[in-house]
Amino acid sequence: MTDPNDATQLRAVAERVVEEHDPRSTPTPDLLTTWYDAGLTWVHFPVGLGGLGVSRGLQPEVDAVLREAGGPADVRSLNGIGFGMAAPTLVEHAQDDDLKREWLRPLAGTHHIWCQLFSEPGAGSDLAGLSTSAVRRGEDWAVTGQKVWTSVGHKARWGLLLARTDPDAPKHLGLTYFVVDMHSPGVEVRPLRQLTGQAEFNEVHLSDVRIPDRHRLGKVGGGWQVARTTLMNERSAIGKSDSRRGAGKIADAVSLWASRPDLHTPILRNRLTRLWLRAEAQRLTAERSRALATTSGPGPEASIGKLVGAELNQAIYEFCMDLLGPEGVLYDDYSPRDTLRPGADRLGPIQRRYLRSRANTIEGGTSEVLRNILGERVLGLPRDLRADAGIPWKEIPRG
């Protein structure tokens, strides 16, 4: 490849890989590991770390090759936190390239699932107020505390952990960021059964868990800056929409509408039309965000997709339930399902999708938090008053 930023040449590289490793017969982890070795997992990452050092705007080209050849329709859903949040954080903040390779290759192959240990019972939206502590013990750190709403924590091998290392500092300045081995002694994961029957969320108890200092990301006390890398990529990953017109969640509503002409009314037709317009506006906004991201990392504009997408998802499935009317309650499936299995139907029937959508405006940053981010960092409005600014964390009242 003489010009790595030539989309045609990049596509040819991807086509050679799928010719030599047929996605329809190659086990998915082996296929995705080969994909990583060829630099096609995150094309904008450095060579040797799953990338080719080219524009991230070329990623859809190689993803399309894998999909068209019979590979997973959405590779990143097989290890969502790993691909969307852990990988960009590791490549930017891990201490050396050997460690980056050690983590990234099995992540890309889905051999190691990743989770995010941020939220706590007393610190969800106010993430910087968390109380899980990390204390230096020689070459290690000893971590004690409790996390909650930890997606796929019960399947994860590695976790992104934010912990307090200096209770005398103001809350944003006393945090340090680590990678924790979820198989370490002292880690206890308790799945939480959800409204849908799934148990993808968990609470995680950490009792004197040892983490080597080598697994610290960023500086001691610099955890909030590293966490911002994770959070901006999280909103970008959650808020992304399908680039194809009429695809994504709106396709569920349109498909249901087409299959049930006996339930049509003028009012419902009007609602579906308005939902289509909102979905199209979100798709075009996402296209603009993707274009901006080709020259830089995700910025606060990624919060637009997460905010709008979450509220639109809920409106779409509310429409579906209203269309079904009394039939919508004829649903008694509370069975869990393995959503990380390649080819799995991750969302299930419309009723399950409706129930799952209720979490969309809470998970990955509440809509209230996102509105604050957009108001302050995009629109330039005055910041919210903060009564705890500059006060040592240990002196801030907590309920």
Side-chain angles (χ1 to χ4, degrees), residues 77-83 86 106-107 109-115 151-159 180 182-183 340:
S77 68
L78 302 177
N79 194 1
I81 293 172
F83 280 107
L107 181 161
T110 68
H111 294 93
H112 289 169
I113 301 299
W114 284 67
C115 67
S151 301
V152 301
H154 58 304
K155 291 180 176 287
R157 171 59 195 275
W158 297 100
V180 59
M182 296 296 287
H183 294 176
L340 298 182

Side-chain angles (χ1 to χ4, degrees), residues 19-260:
E19 285 173 7
E20 296 169 1
H21 304 273
D22 186 346
R24 291 163 296 189
S25 58
T26 306
T28 298
D30 295 345
L31 173 66
L32 296 182
T33 301
T34 303
W35 204 243
Y36 170 89
D37 291 339
L40 299 173
T41 304
W42 306 276
V43 296
H44 57 292
F45 278 16
V47 174
L49 296 175
L52 294 170
V54 301
S55 168
R56 71 168 67 215
L58 295 171
Q59 189 68 52
E61 289 287 339
V62 299
D63 288 349
V65 172
L66 186 62
R67 188 172 58 248
E68 292 163 6
D74 184 3
V75 169
R76 283 159 175 74
S77 68
L78 302 177
N79 194 1
I81 293 172
F83 280 107
M85 294 158 238
T89 305
L90 296 174
V91 81
E92 186 170 343
H93 297 287
Q95 293 188 27
D96 57 67
D97 282 354
D98 287 342
L99 201 50
K100 292 175 186 178
R101 275 188 284 272
E102 182 181 325
W103 280 327
L104 287 172
R105 194 167 187 266
L107 181 161
T110 68
H111 294 93
H112 289 169
I113 301 299
W114 284 67
C115 67
Q116 180 194 53
L117 299 157
F118 278 17
S119 296
E120 298 187 1
S125 295
D126 182 21
L127 177 60
L130 59 82
S131 60
T132 291
S133 67
V135 179
R136 190 69 186 259
R137 299 274 191 253
E139 294 301 313
D140 295 341
W141 292 82
V143 178
T144 298
Q146 180 186 351
K147 300 291 182 176
V148 73
W149 311 126
T150 306
S151 301
V152 301
H154 58 304
K155 291 180 176 287
R157 171 59 195 275
W158 297 100
L160 304 170
L161 172 76
L162 196 58
R164 186 161 304 283
T165 49
D166 185 359
D168 294 318
K171 63 182 186 180
H172 288 85
L173 302 180
L175 301 169
T176 303
Y177 200 116
F178 301 93
V179 171
V180 59
D181 185 344
M182 296 296 287
H183 294 176
S184 298
V187 176
E188 181 184 1
V189 182
R190 302 175 184 172
L192 298 170
R193 201 78 181 270
Q194 301 156 219
L195 187 65
T196 59
Q198 286 299 105
E200 60 184 340
F201 298 150
N202 301 267
E203 58 180 12
V204 179
H205 295 260
L206 305 155
S207 303
D208 198 29
V209 176
R210 298 305 174 108
I211 301 176
D213 186 59
R214 184 167 176 256
H215 288 187
R216 170 175 46 82
L217 305 188
K219 298 177 181 177
V220 175
W224 187 250
Q225 294 304 315
V226 184
R228 288 183 65 177
T229 301
T230 306
L231 293 172
M232 284 195 289
N233 281 283
E234 177 183 39
R235 289 159 194 154
S236 178
I238 294 177
K240 71 178 181 181
S241 67
D242 199 304
S243 59
R244 297 166 296 168
R245 190 179 185 191
K249 302 293 190 298
I250 190 64
D252 286 344
V254 173
S255 176
L256 182 62
W257 174 265
S259 69
R260 296 301 304 268

